[in-house]
Amino acid sequence: MAAYLQWRRFVFFDRETVREPSGPDGAGAKPFALPPGIAVCDSGRGSLVFGDILCGAGRCGLRGARCQIWFLPRSLQLSSFQAYKLRVTHLYQLKQHSILVSIGEDEEGINPLVKVWNLEKRDGGNPLCTRIFPAIPGNKPTVVSCLTVHENLNFMAIGFADGSVVLTKGDITRDRHSKTQILHEGSYPVTGLAFRQSGKTTHLFVVTTENIQSYMLSVKDYPHLELDTHGCGLRCSSLSDPSQDLQFIVAGNECVYLYQPDERGPCFAFEGQKLIVHWYRGYLIIVSKDRKTSPKSEFAGNEAQNSDKQVLNIYDLCNKFIAYSSIFDDIVDVLAEWGSLYVLTRDGKIHVLQEKDTQTKLEACTFMLFRKNLFEMAINLAKSHHLDSDGLSEIFRQYGDHLYNKGNHDGAIQQYIRTIGKLEPSYVIRKFLDAQRIHNLTAYLQMLHLQSLANADHTTLLLNCYTKLKDSSKLEEFIKTSESEVHFDVETAIKVLRQAGYYSHAVYLAEKHEHHEWYLKIQLEDIKNYQEALHYIGKLPFEQAESNMKRYGKILMHHVPNETTELLKVLCTDYRPSGGNEGPGMLEGKKANSEEFIPVFANNSRELKAFLEHMTEVQADSPQGVYDTLLELRLQNWAHEQDEQIKEKLHNEALTLLKSGRFKTVFDKALILCQMHNFKDGVLYLYEQGKLFQQIMHYHMQNEQYKKVIEVCELYGDQEACLWEQALSYFARKEENCKEYIAAVLKHIENKNLMPPLLVVQTLAHNSTATLSVIKDYLVNKLQKQSHQIEQDEQRIQKYREETTRIRLEIEELKASPKIFQKTKCSICTSALELPSVHFLCGHSFHQHCFESYSESDSECPTCMPENRKVMDMIRAQEQKRDLHDQFQHQLKCSNDGFSVVADYFGRGVFNKLTLITDLPSGKTATTIEAGLQRELLIHTKRST
């Protein structure tokens, strides 16, 4: 229980007196005054509603008006209508409907009437009265004490001075759709009623001068519960809003009590005789007498006839302070409308209490609270007024600074934690870097990570705090969160843990969050657990396993060579992760390029040989580098092996690999490897495969293997004839007795006519051991062949001379003697020749119709024309080449071998001098025969040659 005298007082409301609108002359407006005799009032739907009981002059000019209900809108244009003939005792304006419920009297005596008014409908200019019924419980006339209506228009409760409560259930605006019954009977006057709606449950609070009860209206038979054994006076109860959980407020003279439908809630010690109680926007409004010695009326505190001062207090129950306090003269009621409070006094004046804006209130109160170090109250006040997060953060910061300066570091860090997200973390971190405050810094950094606002530096700092505190449990709790709750940079955490020597924690993080590189780096460089690292690589997806084996393969090969080799074999043939990390859909294995892993086997030739041989066995299409390396490795082993049997085996393996056909594209590389290791059989095999016959012979010449030289010439001499010439030159330079080999070479040269005799003599002249007897047989045979050739040439010359003489005689005969055509058959159809016919000097005769059908030219013989055309084409080609003089000169100047250029052009007939006699035009028939004879002679001459 808190005494209100200890509560802080603020001025959150501005007080003004409502004045009439200014006149046209701009003179100062007079205070607005209500009609005299106002007894009851209410507010809602944009108006203040009043009811009077006395006679007097109305503000609308109606003199002698009685029992009026007045409406005062915001424009202060007062209007009214007569609702009763005698008096208006109660008004209730619904907030969600334009329905007004009133209770009054039309005649003397106890005969109250309830009238329901529809303010949106009119009846002769007045609101439409939709229902009238008497407010009497049974047949016992009694005074109405209070009235309340449910906002759903289905419930209305009327309290009476005799302690009874009448409940109307159904549509309260119609008689036919509602039912009235007595809900409560008692011995004490009913002073307050209130409906409470929570979901589908409806409760009715009933308060008398001596007790408080709660009725559940949503259940049949309306069960009730007595909440307390003391009550309150009239208008001293109210229902709070949802900010206070719709609690029923009952204000006694010593305390204010709050009730739930089933129990009593908190209470507040606000002393003084309470006259009026209202709830407004989270505030409790209490009007009480200013004098503690004022006489207390047991009932109807509103009928006080004295003029004592009255105090209006506005309480904030959540934050426990007084938002406003002021003294008024004889308050009639306090109404809430248009976002303000309106205080009606007995003199007819209206005072308005306008709540200050949130920023102004907070600035005023927080300044005072900060000055008095009342930060908790400032925080609660700011929250209740929905201050934004930036403003709250500033209050938390100042509170934290205050506690820090007082040395309360634990409390300070809790306030700084509440600024996370708004205050720069470095502001807090700098204050707690001292080793004695490291636990406070750890708490702040933990919360910073939980809110996912930490960067890499914050993670580093937090882990360093854990390691310095040696708090392994907290460290494990921090790093072993589930993946969805990770609030830190994992890579940074791994680095810090590794640096601090917490290798197991670092490895755990790396494995959990799949930082494979860090996991392997720690396992290999720090823990030295090579077997585990190799096993981990075997569980990785193919791409990552491949890259990590390239990166760490040499280290693993050095320490666990056998296991590493086996993993590489799998990786390069048919790799599947051992842990099934690539999912059930990865049925087909993947394979890496085995050539790329050869450098991993540096200084591990035995494992390298096993790896390469495995690859060549299971994958015949392995990269060329695999075969090249395997050949080099076998040649090295062969060259360094001392055991003859093993050496022979290695020799055969190397030669078999060479003969596998995998070195056709890298012939030069394989040849160099064999030459480097002096692998004779391999060199010769590659020479043979590359058709390097001269190199084979030179190889035998260098080793002075004369028989091998002769064998090479015999094997490959037909493909490369110069081998015999080189062999002769080789034996000619030898000072040894090589007559046998020279004779064999000369015999082949003679048979193939590979060298001129003079060149043979000159070649053998360099050999001092070669005598004339060596080449005697060669020279004799050569001279005999040449003599025979000379005889043949002389016979051919004589034949050409005789032919030339014969042709010249024929020409002369054609020129001087007539030509007799004695052909009896056509040269085309071979039928008997008939006139008309066509005859040519070449001796062919044709039917005229055959000639015309087959001939392409009138002046050429169809039979001789193909051969003649060939000759003519050759002549024309030579004629065209005569124009190549410039090109010939250019090639002759630029060529290194001018003789070859001249020989080429000479062979093409460029230097021949020819005379081409073409047909004469028609009309010159005198010389036609002579020209034809000359052409025939030329063609015949060409044919004979």
Side-chain angles (χ1 to χ4, degrees):
M1 184 178 295
Y4 79 99
L5 293 176
Q6 298 176 355
W7 286 21
R8 298 287 170 181
R9 293 176 180 267
F10 301 99
V11 183
F12 283 174
F13 291 81
D14 293 325
R15 173 178 173 177
E16 292 182 359
T17 301
V18 177
R19 297 181 178 275
E20 295 181 352
S22 301
D25 55 357
K30 297 185 298 181
F32 183 85
L34 290 171
I38 296 297
V40 292
C41 54
D42 202 354
S43 63
R45 307 300 292 179
S47 296
L48 303 181
V49 186
F50 312 105
D52 60 12
I53 61 175
L54 299 176
C55 301
R59 295 299 297 267
C60 294
L62 299 176
R63 190 171 296 275
R66 301 172 62 84
C67 300
Q68 300 283 316
I69 292 180
W70 304 84
F71 294 94
L72 180 65
R74 197 165 193 176
S75 62
L76 303 181
Q77 299 297 321
L78 197 62
S79 62
S80 67
F81 71 95
Q82 187 173 2
Y84 296 91
K85 297 178 180 179
L86 188 61
R87 65 175 62 87
V88 181
T89 60
H90 295 82
L91 291 174
Y92 193 94
Q93 172 65 60
L94 278 80
K95 303 300 185 290
Q96 300 178 13
H97 304 276
S98 295
I99 300 296
L100 174 66
V101 180
S102 64
I103 299 178
E105 299 176 1
D106 284 338
E107 56 186 18
E108 292 293 342
I110 303 175
N111 189 21
L113 292 176
V114 179
K115 295 184 179 182
V116 181
W117 308 90
N118 189 332
L119 302 181
E120 293 181 346
K121 297 181 179 180
R122 293 290 168 176
D123 182 13
N126 296 331
L128 175 64
C129 182
T130 62
R131 185 180 181 187
I132 302 176
F133 64 93
I136 297 176
N139 295 321
K140 299 181 294 182
T142 180
V143 177
V144 176
S145 59
C146 54
L147 166 69
T148 185
V149 182
H150 199 292
E151 286 293 334
N152 64 10
L153 300 179
N154 286 326
F155 293 102
M156 179 169 60
I158 303 174
F160 296 90
D162 66 350
S164 60
V165 175
V166 175
L167 176 67
T168 300
K169 183 178 180 182
D171 189 352
I172 66 169
T173 63
R174 298 182 182 182
D175 291 325
R176 297 178 59 183
H177 297 86
S178 63
K179 180 181 179 182
T180 301
Q181 67 181 85
I182 297 176
L183 178 69
H184 172 79
E185 292 182 331
S187 304
Y188 305 104
V190 178
T191 58
L193 297 169
F195 287 107
R196 182 183 189 272
Q197 186 70 39
S198 176
K200 296 183 178 181
T201 304
T202 305
H203 288 88
L204 174 64
F205 290 101
V206 178
V207 58
T208 68
T209 56
E210 297 299 332
N211 58 33
I212 303 169
Q213 298 190 37
S214 169
Y215 285 83
M216 184 180 293
L217 304 183
S218 55
V219 179
K220 188 178 180 180
D221 298 332
Y222 307 139
H224 69 279
L225 176 68
E226 185 175 21
L227 299 177
D228 217 332
T229 57
H230 58 80
C232 65
L234 280 174
R235 302 195 297 172
C236 291
S237 63
S238 182
L239 189 70
S240 68
D241 59 18
S243 66
Q244 280 291 334
D245 199 19
L246 298 174
Q247 296 186 89
F248 186 57
I249 302 170
V250 177
N253 288 337
E254 295 181 356
C255 294
V256 174
Y257 300 91
L258 277 67
Y259 296 91
Q260 293 284 355
D262 54 354
E263 63 179 353
R264 191 177 81 176
C267 65
F268 300 89
F270 300 148
E271 297 181 356
Q273 181 180 354
K274 313 300 187 302
L275 303 177
I276 300 173
V277 173
H278 286 294
W279 186 267
Y280 169 73
R281 291 187 176 180
Y283 293 112
L284 176 62
I285 302 170
I286 297 180
V287 178
S288 59
K289 284 192 175 183
D290 190 30
R291 294 186 307 169
K292 296 183 180 180
T293 58
S294 298
K296 176 182 178 183
S297 174
E298 187 174 349
F299 177 67
N302 61 322
E303 298 295 334
Q305 299 297 321
N306 57 59
S307 60
D308 293 340
K309 300 291 185 181
Q310 296 175 352
V311 180
L312 184 147
N313 289 322
I314 302 177
Y315 298 95
D316 187 332
L317 300 183
C318 292
N319 299 311
K320 294 183 173 55
F321 65 83
I322 302 174
Y324 182 78
S325 180
S326 182
I327 298 176
F328 293 86
D329 292 330
D330 202 359
I331 298 175
V332 176
D333 207 343
V334 180
L335 305 176
E337 192 65 27
W338 310 308
S340 301
L341 290 174
Y342 293 88
V343 182
L344 281 64
T345 57
R346 191 69 62 184
D347 57 6
K349 294 181 179 180
I350 303 177
H351 305 272
V352 59
L353 300 180
Q354 180 68 44
E355 187 176 9
K356 297 179 180 180
D357 63 88
T358 303
Q359 191 63 31
T360 303
K361 290 189 295 184
L362 291 176
E363 288 177 356
C365 72
T366 53
F367 175 77
M368 183 189 75
L369 293 175
F370 289 171
R371 189 173 57 187
K372 296 183 179 181
N373 297 325
L374 299 175
F375 292 97
E376 288 290 349
M377 181 175 288
I379 292 170
N380 294 333
L381 180 62
K383 287 182 176 179
S384 64
H385 286 79
H386 306 290
L387 183 64
D388 60 16
S389 57
D390 292 333
L392 279 173
S393 178
E394 179 60 22
I395 298 175
F396 295 142
R397 184 195 64 79
Q398 294 188 34
Y399 191 16
D401 292 345
H402 169 71
L403 295 175
Y404 182 85
N405 293 331
K406 289 178 62 177
N408 185 2
H409 298 135
D410 294 339
I413 203 66
Q414 294 303 318
Q415 299 305 317
Y416 288 135
I417 287 174
R418 300 167 80 177
T419 67
I420 291 176
K422 299 297 180 181
L423 182 63
E424 177 62 36
S426 59
Y427 178 87
V428 180
I429 293 172
R430 285 196 299 268
K431 291 178 177 290
F432 293 90
L433 284 178
D434 191 350
Q436 296 179 353
R437 304 168 191 167
I438 193 171
H439 63 283
N440 299 124
L441 179 59
T442 303
Y444 178 81
L445 292 172
Q446 282 177 340
M447 191 59 62
L448 197 65
H449 281 80
L450 286 176
Q451 298 187 21
S452 300
L453 296 174
N455 56 29
D457 294 333
H458 298 148
T459 303
T460 302
L461 187 57
L462 176 59
L463 293 174
N464 284 329
C465 290
Y466 284 142
T467 56
K468 288 184 179 180
L469 291 173
K470 300 187 182 302
D471 193 346
S472 299
S473 60
K474 284 286 186 180
L475 180 59
E476 290 186 4
E477 180 183 353
F478 177 73
I479 66 174
K480 292 186 178 181
T481 55
S482 63
E483 187 172 353
S484 60
E485 299 177 354
V486 175
H487 305 288
F488 56 89
D489 183 76
V490 176
E491 186 171 357
T492 301
I494 294 173
K495 291 179 182 177
V496 175
L497 291 172
R498 183 191 184 196
Q499 186 177 3
Y502 286 80
Y503 301 128
S504 60
H505 296 77
V507 165
Y508 171 83
L509 271 183
E511 182 176 11
K512 179 181 178 181
H513 298 282
E514 298 184 354
H515 285 257
H516 310 307
E517 183 177 354
W518 281 107
Y519 179 92
L520 295 173
K521 188 177 293 185
I522 296 172
Q523 288 282 18
L524 296 175
E525 298 178 7
D526 301 320
I527 304 178
K528 310 294 185 183
N529 192 343
Y530 306 103
Q531 192 71 42
E532 184 62 30
L534 190 66
H535 177 69
Y536 183 81
I537 293 176
K539 297 188 298 182
L540 296 179
F542 171 76
E543 291 77 8
Q544 298 173 5
E546 180 185 22
S547 62
N548 282 292
M549 281 305 295
K550 291 178 181 178
R551 184 178 296 113
Y552 302 109
K554 290 184 179 180
I555 299 176
L556 294 170
M557 184 61 67
H558 178 71
H559 294 89
V560 281
N562 295 330
E563 294 83 353
T564 305
T565 303
E566 292 303 318
L567 179 58
L568 286 174
K569 289 179 181 179
V570 175
L571 186 63
C572 296
T573 53
D574 187 18
Y575 178 77
R576 292 180 176 86
S578 58
N581 292 337
E582 295 201 13
M586 294 299 298
L587 299 178
E588 295 185 3
K590 296 183 178 180
K591 58 183 179 180
N593 186 349
S594 53
E595 184 178 2
E596 297 177 355
F597 292 96
I598 292 176
V600 171
F601 293 90
N603 303 321
N604 293 83
S605 58
R606 181 173 60 85
E607 287 76 14
L608 175 60
K609 181 181 178 183
F611 172 73
L612 296 176
E613 289 178 346
H614 173 78
M615 293 307 303
T616 56
E617 290 174 3
V618 300
Q619 286 185 3
D621 59 344
S622 295
Q624 185 62 44
V626 172
Y627 287 93
D628 295 344
T629 308
L630 180 59
L631 175 62
E632 183 178 4
L633 195 61
R634 287 183 176 180
L635 291 175
Q636 287 179 353
N637 294 339
W638 172 81
H640 295 89
E641 183 57 50
Q642 301 297 326
D643 191 320
E644 291 299 327
Q645 292 182 351
I646 299 177
K647 191 177 184 72
E648 181 64 23
K649 179 181 177 182
L650 294 174
H651 174 277
N652 295 333
E653 290 178 353
L655 193 60
T656 302
L657 182 61
L658 276 176
K659 293 180 179 181
S660 64
R662 296 292 306 183
F663 299 92
K664 294 180 180 180
T665 58
V666 288
F667 174 83
D668 295 340
K669 185 174 183 180
L671 182 59
I672 292 173
L673 288 174
C674 292
Q675 291 174 343
M676 288 174 56
H677 296 88
N678 196 23
F679 190 56
K680 173 183 175 182
D681 292 345
V683 171
L684 294 176
Y685 172 77
L686 291 173
Y687 281 160
E688 182 179 358
Q689 292 298 310
K691 296 184 179 181
L692 302 177
F693 307 127
Q694 295 187 34
Q695 280 77 358
I696 295 175
M697 189 171 66
H698 290 163
Y699 182 85
H700 292 307
M701 289 178 177
Q702 291 175 359
N703 292 279
E704 296 185 349
Q705 297 174 340
Y706 303 145
K707 291 184 179 180
K708 292 290 186 181
V709 172
I710 299 299
E711 290 178 1
V712 169
C713 291
E714 291 175 348
L715 289 173
Y716 311 115
D718 295 338
Q719 302 179 46
E720 198 164 343
C722 62
L723 294 177
W724 291 105
E725 300 175 12
Q726 294 177 14
L728 180 63
S729 178
Y730 169 73
F731 289 122
R733 290 194 301 270
K734 290 295 182 181
E735 297 299 329
E736 303 174 11
N737 186 3
C738 300
K739 293 181 180 181
E740 178 183 356
Y741 303 108
I742 293 175
V745 173
L746 287 176
K747 181 179 180 181
H748 192 83
I749 291 176
E750 178 185 357
N751 294 335
K752 298 293 184 178
N753 194 21
L754 299 178
M755 294 177 65
L758 182 59
L759 184 58
V760 172
V761 174
Q762 291 176 350
T763 301
L764 293 176
H766 300 287
N767 191 330
S768 60
T769 61
T771 59
L772 185 60
S773 61
V774 177
I775 60 173
K776 175 182 177 182
D777 295 336
Y778 168 76
L779 292 176
V780 170
N781 294 334
K782 197 67 177 176
L783 291 174
Q784 289 177 352
K785 288 181 179 180
Q786 288 184 356
S787 298
H788 181 66
Q789 183 66 36
I790 290 171
E791 291 177 358
Q792 290 181 350
D793 291 341
E794 288 178 351
Q795 292 175 3
R796 191 177 294 111
I797 291 171
Q798 183 63 32
K799 180 181 177 182
Y800 288 157
R801 286 175 179 173
E802 293 175 354
E803 184 69 20
T804 302
T805 303
R806 184 184 61 79
I807 292 172
R808 285 177 178 174
L809 291 175
E810 289 182 3
I811 293 173
E812 289 297 332
E813 184 180 356
L814 288 173
K815 288 181 180 181
S817 303
K819 177 67 174 178
I820 299 173
F821 300 102
Q822 296 180 343
K823 284 281 188 178
T824 60
K825 292 183 179 182
C826 176
S827 299
I828 294 178
C829 65
T830 66
S831 299
L833 198 61
E834 298 177 355
L835 295 177
S837 59
V838 180
H839 303 274
F840 285 88
L841 293 176
C842 60
H844 295 107
S845 298
F846 308 92
H847 293 114
Q848 184 176 356
H849 61 86
C850 291
F851 174 75
E852 291 175 353
S853 299
Y854 290 94
S855 176
E856 296 180 6
S857 175
D858 295 341
S859 59
E860 292 189 66
C861 174
T863 304
C864 299
M865 184 176 62
E867 187 66 26
N868 292 342
R869 282 191 175 180
K870 293 180 181 179
V871 176
M872 295 301 294
D873 290 341
M874 295 173 61
I875 294 173
R876 289 191 186 96
Q878 292 180 356
E879 189 74 17
Q880 292 175 359
K881 292 178 181 178
R882 293 179 183 179
D883 299 331
L884 302 178
H885 175 75
D886 295 337
Q887 183 178 357
F888 168 72
Q889 292 293 336
H890 176 72
Q891 291 186 1
L892 189 61
K893 291 179 180 179
C894 298
S895 176
N896 295 326
D897 187 3
F899 180 80
S900 63
V901 175
V902 174
D904 179 50
Y905 276 81
F906 186 85
R908 289 155 61 181
V910 175
F911 304 107
N912 295 343
K913 184 177 181 181
L914 299 177
T915 301
L916 181 61
I917 302 174
T918 60
D919 297 336
L920 293 177
S922 60
K924 296 184 179 181
T925 57
T927 58
T928 302
I929 297 177
E930 183 178 358
L933 290 174
Q934 292 179 357
R935 183 169 66 254
E936 291 294 333
L937 177 61
L938 178 62
I939 293 174
H940 188 77
T941 304
K942 181 67 179 177
R943 189 183 301 160
S944 300
T945 59

